[in-house]
Amino acid sequence: MAEKQFDGIHTGHAPRFESWFWYFQLASWGLLLCLVVAGLAGAFGKGVLSQSKVQTARGDHVEFERLVRFKTPGAYRLLVVPSLGPGGKAAELRLHISGALLSNLKFRIAETTPMPKAVEPSASGVVLVYAPDSTLQAFPIELAFEPRAIGPVQG
């Protein structure tokens, strides 16, 4: 880099370096702005980008957060359309929670709303049994949990 001189004195002006550094600063500020906007939108925790919803053809759906923070409460929200059992009454609803989700000790189910009628162990997890009141409405269930370990969870 050739520095400019004024009357034989080095002025410290290196236009090529300054041009490169200006572009570097601009790119850095752009990256920081993108990170802040992504954080506010929920890319790193609670927010719009973190929310997800899965729906079945029957009308059942589950709402959950893709990203949860260590020791920060989260929830699975289920809306289940009860099936009709004998006599036209709503059949009991059985919700299976995978043993992989529970046995790796990464999640602790803090509470379930409403309380299940029964809890049954199964070979591959736990079954929560509910008795829906009405056949006409969807049955809401909320499972509150807290992550107990850091890292991805399968199950």
Side-chain angles (χ1 to χ4, degrees):
M1 275 179 251
E3 292 185 359
K4 289 195 174 183
Q5 293 185 10
F6 182 75
D7 285 337
I9 301 172
H10 292 280
T11 60
H13 179 71
R16 198 165 129 206
F17 173 77
E18 287 183 18
S19 175
W20 172 86
F21 194 70
W22 184 82
Y23 285 115
F24 175 76
Q25 279 185 327
L26 188 62
S28 298
W29 280 107
L31 176 65
L32 288 174
L33 179 65
C34 289
L35 289 174
V36 168
V37 169
L40 291 174
F44 309 116
K46 294 187 183 290
V48 178
L49 295 177
S50 179
Q51 298 295 323
S52 187
K53 183 177 177 180
V54 179
Q55 188 165 353
T56 66
R58 234 180 58 151
D60 304 335
H61 73 263
V62 179
E63 294 177 10
F64 60 96
E65 296 172 30
R66 286 188 199 107
L67 303 167
V68 290
R69 293 186 164 275
F70 177 58
K71 293 200 173 189
T72 301
Y76 290 116
R77 290 171 196 82
L78 296 89
L79 193 61
V80 182
V81 178
S83 301
L84 293 178
K89 289 188 175 182
E92 75 177 10
L93 178 67
R94 302 176 68 78
L95 176 65
H96 179 265
I97 300 176
S98 167
L101 187 65
L102 300 173
S103 69
N104 63 11
L105 301 177
K106 289 200 176 187
F107 275 25
R108 177 181 69 84
I109 302 293
E111 67 179 86
T112 173
T113 308
M115 291 297 291
K117 180 176 85 172
V119 178
E120 301 172 357
S122 74
S124 61
V126 175
V127 177
L128 305 177
V129 181
Y130 293 94
D133 297 334
S134 171
T135 59
L136 301 176
Q137 296 179 356
F139 188 70
I141 300 171
E142 183 169 324
L143 298 171
F145 64 87
E146 181 179 300
R148 294 192 287 184
I150 298 171
V153 174
Q154 301 281 325

